Amino acid sequence: MSVWDSIIGQQPVVDMLSHVASGDPKQITQSWLICGPPGSGRSNMARAFAAALESPDHGLGGEMTRVSSQVLAGTHPDVTVLATDKVTIGIDEVRDLITISEQMPSTAPWRIIIIEDVDRMLERTTNVLLKEIEEPAEHCIWLLCAPSAQDVLPTIRSRTRIVNLAVPGTQAVAEFLEADAGVDAHIARRAARLAEGHIGIARMYATDERAMSDRDELVSGVLRLSRASDAVLLAGDLIDNAKAQAEADAERRAERAEAEFRRVNGLGEKDRIPPKLRGAYNDAVGKKDDAKRFVTRRTRDVLDRALNSIASVYRDVAVLQNNAEDSVGLVNLENRTAVTELSARLSRSAVVSRLDEVSTARRRLAGNGNPTLVFEALFCALMP
């Protein structure tokens, strides 16, 4: 088993980073920006690269070393990962990382800092990070992750070595789901196709029947749009489903955190939390404000995923209009009849216009637009 086994469809990048990790330490770039579309595995790539850098065999051995296992499990003392469930990364979190980065590594060659979703930093937070990226501590490597180089400030881009990941192929994702999640081959292929290369979403579709059903209903609703009332009802259903999924995720997250806290402190499932542990318990499980931010973030994630599904409908229409099905295939294969009918009703310019409307809705959501109004306006604009 290799440190790179969890990386799907990125062999050229794996070869390059593996070569870097096994090369002269004095020649290693200390600030990296790993870019890739959502679900391409950029966070996993950063962890695998960190494991290769820290491991005595540089990830080249046939069996994973203890150091590599610790890095990938998130338990190595010299590798720090900042991942957030909030909408933005706070300035205090970055200042804490900078303090850690100045410390010498305790057991490994490098102290490595991984920041997932660095694009979620506000400009003033990024400016705090900038000085460390410009002049990192001698024994520290920064691995930043973002959807694209354009999603971070130019000052960060210019001071990092950029690594671009590709969109994993459908076949590679399906094979991964079969091997890793043990799902049926047919389900794996369908989940991979609908996820359009997003590994995390493909796994969710393959293992969560409700998520797959919600997507099917959304696509069918978009294809049936004909009146303003349809748009209003579809927007309401979508927002309700997004909130329900986010709240269910928040509840599962709190349950896992509570179970881990009880395990660590030797408490049974029904035991009361002792008064002296209540402060630590609240910090572990999460305060109400933290839970609210988590639900907000998750709701936005679900709605963003919905926009991808909506865009896939018009992508398929464009594929049929350009007779390209044999070369690129359809995403919504189960809805081929309805997509074919829509392709005959819309002109090519109308299809492009609707894809522009999806992009506009995404920008409005990113700008904290009211989700209900954003989707009502979008669905009204999509009506033939």
Side-chain angles (χ1 to χ4, degrees):
M1 184 176 182
S2 165
V3 298
W4 307 104
D5 283 353
S6 64
I7 308 302
I8 309 302
Q10 308 292 346
Q11 195 57 47
V13 175
V14 168
D15 292 342
M16 184 270 289
L17 294 182
S18 180
H19 177 74
V20 169
S22 59
D24 183 355
K26 295 180 181 179
Q27 302 299 318
I28 292 178
T29 303
Q30 290 183 254
S31 300
W32 297 74
L33 179 60
I34 300 176
C35 302
S40 59
R42 55 182 184 262
S43 298
N44 287 339
M45 182 69 78
R47 285 176 168 82
F49 186 31
L53 287 167
E54 302 286 46
S55 177
D57 68 353
H58 304 297
L60 299 176
E63 295 293 329
M64 199 177 303
T65 65
R66 179 172 174 270
V67 171
S68 295
S69 298
Q70 288 179 326
V71 173
L72 296 179
T75 59
H76 195 284
D78 294 324
V79 178
T80 303
V81 180
L82 174 59
T84 184
D85 289 320
K86 302 175 184 177
V87 176
T88 59
I89 294 175
I91 195 168
D92 290 336
E93 294 174 290
V94 173
R95 284 174 175 154
D96 289 343
L97 288 182
I98 292 173
T99 300
I100 294 172
S101 74
E102 298 293 338
Q103 301 170 3
M104 291 291 292
S106 56
T107 63
W110 300 97
R111 182 165 294 281
I112 298 177
I113 310 291
I114 300 173
I115 303 182
E116 299 181 3
D117 301 319
V118 72
D119 54 302
R120 291 185 180 272
M121 288 185 186
L122 300 177
E123 184 172 350
R124 65 191 185 98
T125 306
T126 305
N127 288 333
V128 171
L129 177 64
L130 180 59
K131 183 173 177 55
E132 288 298 316
I133 296 300
E134 287 179 321
E135 301 177 7
E138 183 179 353
H139 296 286
C140 181
I141 291 178
W142 291 84
L143 304 179
L144 313 180
C145 304
S148 72
Q150 286 67 40
D151 290 315
V152 301
L153 291 180
T155 47
I156 293 290
R157 293 202 302 265
S158 63
R159 290 161 175 80
T160 57
R161 180 171 175 180
I162 299 174
V163 176
N164 289 306
L165 305 185
V167 176
T170 298
Q171 184 62 33
V173 175
E175 290 174 356
F176 170 75
L177 292 176
E178 290 182 59
D180 189 71
V183 300
D184 176 76
H186 174 74
I187 295 175
R189 286 194 298 271
R190 184 180 183 223
R193 170 168 49 82
L194 296 181
E196 299 181 79
H198 192 303
I199 298 170
I201 292 178
R203 180 194 289 273
M204 180 184 64
Y205 285 156
T207 58
D208 187 338
E209 187 175 345
R210 176 180 174 177
M212 183 79 84
S213 176
D214 285 346
R215 187 196 185 282
D216 290 342
E217 290 178 7
L218 173 62
V219 169
S220 296
V222 169
L223 290 167
R224 290 196 305 266
L225 284 172
S226 60
R227 297 174 296 180
S229 58
D230 296 333
V232 172
L233 291 174
L234 185 59
D237 289 343
L238 174 59
I239 301 302
D240 289 344
N241 287 338
K243 289 181 178 177
Q245 287 187 47
E247 289 169 356
D249 286 346
E251 185 176 345
R252 286 193 291 268
R253 176 174 176 258
E255 289 173 352
R256 289 194 299 269
E258 179 176 356
E260 178 63 13
F261 180 86
R262 289 180 177 278
R263 183 190 68 79
V264 169
N265 290 279
L267 299 173
E269 184 178 349
K270 302 296 184 181
D271 293 344
R272 294 183 60 185
I273 306 297
K276 64 180 181 181
L277 293 179
R278 285 175 186 166
Y281 172 79
N282 291 332
D283 289 339
V285 175
K287 300 175 182 178
K288 288 185 178 180
D289 287 345
D290 291 338
K292 185 176 180 180
R293 293 190 190 98
F294 178 85
V295 169
T296 300
R297 161 80 185 272
R298 277 291 187 270
T299 301
R300 289 189 179 186
D301 289 344
V302 175
L303 294 178
D304 187 73
R305 188 168 73 241
L307 288 173
N308 291 337
S309 299
I310 295 166
S312 74
V313 172
Y314 298 96
R315 176 262 188 202
D316 285 350
V317 169
V319 167
L320 291 179
Q321 288 180 339
N322 290 281
N323 298 316
E325 184 178 1
D326 290 340
S327 57
V328 299
L330 297 181
V331 173
N332 301 288
L333 196 57
E334 293 77 13
N335 304 94
R336 192 184 189 286
T337 300
V339 171
T340 302
E341 293 173 357
L342 186 59
S343 70
R345 296 164 64 189
L346 296 178
S347 65
R348 283 177 167 81
S349 61
V351 174
V352 173
S353 174
R354 280 157 176 76
L355 288 170
D356 287 341
E357 292 290 348
V358 175
S359 297
T360 298
R362 197 184 303 276
R363 288 194 299 271
R364 288 171 175 169
L365 284 178
N368 290 322
N370 182 290
T372 300
L373 297 180
V374 168
F375 277 94
E376 285 179 355
L378 172 61
F379 290 144
C380 285
L382 296 180
M383 288 186 297

